[in-house]
Amino acid sequence: MMMKYRLRILPGLLGLLFILLTAYGCSGSTGAGGTKTPRPSLAESVEMTLTANGFTSSENKAAEATAIPPSSCGLALPGDQGWPVRLCDSFNDNTGGWTVESQDNPYAKYSIDVKNGAYSLDYTAKSFAAYQRSSLTWFDVASAQDFALSVTGRINSDFQNCSWGAAFRADDDSFFLFSIYNDNTYAFEIYENGGWVPLITRRPYDQLKLGQANKLVILAEGGDFTFYINDNLVNSFSGGLLQESGIKLVASAKEGVSASYTFDDVVLQVKP
């Protein structure tokens, strides 16, 4: 029988979700635990229970500003030239008002800051459930239903059990999540009604660059979503029914896993 855990979500500009792996043990780094094995898809192996508090975060200040003229962005636009640019950030400084903080809680120890031209996260998931679960942390980007989002991310870790990506159409109880894992795979899932459902099952992509920066683009219009990695179309999905508007950067790691993440060159266009 599967045990269900009810877990508290932290307040502030970011939330911490704690994920229960149902059928798999922990795989380690080559140095610590021998051969590394890919972790299974979250949708196939995870059950998450949210508290009533849900998302308790506010939005990035830059994304609430007046639309930016496309010509002044300086980065490639992920969407139609006619869509207003709401956010264009290369993290040369923190004028965008991104979350900067350190936390050391029972589930993870991490520090996030804008430094060296990137939004940098040093992250260690602690042992809190006999190495059977993962922590998932998100950082608010903006609010929009129909949008084009581009972000470049990188994972530096000896472990495969970590990932980064973007959640969207998010509210207290549900969201879509597109993730890139540290074994050159990707997946697209929905969290809804207290559980995960795979929409695009986890699969390898040979154009992902392990240990290097990878560019993710998400186009969302109505119920249709299109996904690009490193400027190549990798997949699409039709029939998304969530109606909320939260957009978030996401990092995840299994218990005992340490990883450094960088996010850079974030561009958000919103469909007029």
Side-chain angles (χ1 to χ4, degrees):
M1 177 180 296
M2 181 187 304
M3 295 183 66
K4 296 186 178 180
Y5 294 83
R6 190 169 183 83
L7 299 163
R8 182 172 63 91
I9 292 178
L10 302 174
L13 282 174
L14 51 93
L16 187 60
L17 303 181
F18 308 108
I19 302 171
L20 171 63
L21 299 183
T22 61
Y24 300 85
C26 178
S27 65
S29 68
T30 302
T35 302
K36 294 185 288 185
T37 57
R39 73 174 179 181
S41 167
L42 287 176
E44 297 170 347
S45 65
V46 174
E47 177 164 340
M48 181 187 296
T49 304
L50 301 179
T51 69
N53 291 331
F55 292 89
T56 57
S57 53
S58 59
E59 294 175 3
N60 181 313
K61 293 188 295 183
E64 294 300 303
T66 304
I68 302 167
S71 60
S72 67
C73 177
L75 298 170
L77 300 182
D80 189 280
Q81 289 285 333
W83 288 17
V85 178
R86 285 268 300 278
L87 182 61
C88 179
D89 204 333
S90 294
F91 299 99
N92 295 319
D93 52 37
N94 195 20
T95 55
W98 295 84
T99 302
V100 172
E101 71 169 30
S102 297
Q103 285 207 25
D104 187 353
N105 57 60
Y107 307 96
K109 180 178 181 179
Y110 62 88
S111 178
I112 188 160
D113 200 355
V114 176
K115 59 183 180 181
N116 301 321
Y119 194 35
S120 299
L121 172 66
D122 292 321
Y123 197 92
T124 298
K126 295 183 178 180
S127 171
F128 55 89
Y131 296 97
Q132 296 300 305
R133 286 187 280 169
S134 296
S135 60
L136 186 154
T137 303
W138 68 83
F139 306 88
D140 290 321
V141 176
S143 179
Q145 281 193 347
D146 294 341
F147 63 88
L149 173 70
S150 174
V151 57
T152 297
R154 178 176 178 267
I155 304 174
N156 182 16
S157 179
D158 292 330
F159 297 84
Q160 293 184 326
N161 289 344
C162 45
S163 65
W164 71 275
F168 60 98
R169 300 280 175 86
D171 69 356
D172 288 15
D173 303 310
S174 57
F175 51 87
F176 296 111
L177 176 62
F178 189 91
S179 300
I180 293 174
Y181 296 82
N182 201 36
D183 62 355
N184 285 350
T185 62
Y186 72 88
F188 180 53
E189 300 147 312
I190 184 174
Y191 180 77
E192 187 177 33
N193 298 324
W196 291 93
V197 177
L199 302 177
I200 299 173
T201 56
R202 186 168 169 183
R203 59 197 63 190
Y205 180 55
D206 61 8
Q207 297 302 306
L208 279 166
K209 298 174 286 189
L210 190 65
Q212 301 180 51
N214 291 283
K215 180 182 177 182
L216 169 63
V217 170
I218 299 174
L219 304 180
E221 294 186 72
D224 299 328
F225 312 137
T226 309
F227 306 103
Y228 295 80
I229 295 176
N230 295 329
D231 296 318
N232 298 310
L233 174 65
V234 293
N235 225 312
S236 61
F237 178 84
S238 295
L241 300 179
L242 298 183
Q243 297 296 313
E244 299 303 324
S245 57
I247 302 173
K248 303 170 186 295
L249 298 178
V250 173
S252 178
K254 194 171 182 179
E255 288 180 74
V257 169
S258 295
S260 296
Y261 302 83
T262 58
F263 303 99
D264 203 358
D265 294 343
V266 177
V267 180
L268 175 67
Q269 293 175 271
V270 177
K271 185 177 180 180

